[in-house]
Amino acid sequence: MEHIVALQALVTAASLDYEPSAAELDAIDLEMPLIAAEVELLDAQITALDRPASVLDERRIRRARNRVLAERRNLANRPAAVVLTGGAA
């Protein structure tokens, strides 16, 4: 009987036990306002799933979408040097 052996190196828990670099953490910090706005939008959408959407629910979702768009715009309009120093995302 012939044994089939993987040709790639094994992936172990030790190989995945690295901390994010300072550049990766800086990139996350730059994107944190966008992440928070997206979480707020998701929260508003989940709230509206449980019941028929009221006028207040629709307004909350609309405002959250506008915040997401504004944060995306702000992130896209940052100077290229600031965005490239993050290096991760």
Side-chain angles (χ1 to χ4, degrees), residues 44-56:
Q45 290 171 335
I46 289 172
T47 301
L49 286 176
D50 292 342
R51 60 181 185 268
S54 67
V55 174
L56 293 176

Side-chain angles (χ1 to χ4, degrees), residues 4-83:
I4 300 173
V5 180
L7 299 177
Q8 292 95 7
L10 294 176
V11 177
T12 62
S15 67
L16 300 175
D17 198 26
Y18 294 111
E19 296 289 326
S21 68
E24 291 171 335
L25 291 174
D26 290 341
I28 292 170
D29 282 341
L30 281 175
E31 294 180 4
M32 204 58 201
L34 175 61
I35 294 168
E38 288 175 339
V39 168
E40 186 178 337
L41 174 60
L42 186 60
D43 184 47
Q45 290 171 335
I46 289 172
T47 301
L49 286 176
D50 292 342
R51 60 181 185 268
S54 67
V55 174
L56 293 176
D57 291 333
E58 292 172 3
R59 186 180 302 163
R60 183 176 179 212
I61 291 171
R62 185 175 59 247
R63 286 182 180 170
R65 282 185 185 145
N66 289 339
R67 281 192 200 111
V68 168
L69 291 175
E71 291 301 331
R72 285 183 184 169
R73 182 195 64 225
N74 293 341
L75 192 60
N77 287 336
R78 289 182 190 263
V82 173
V83 175

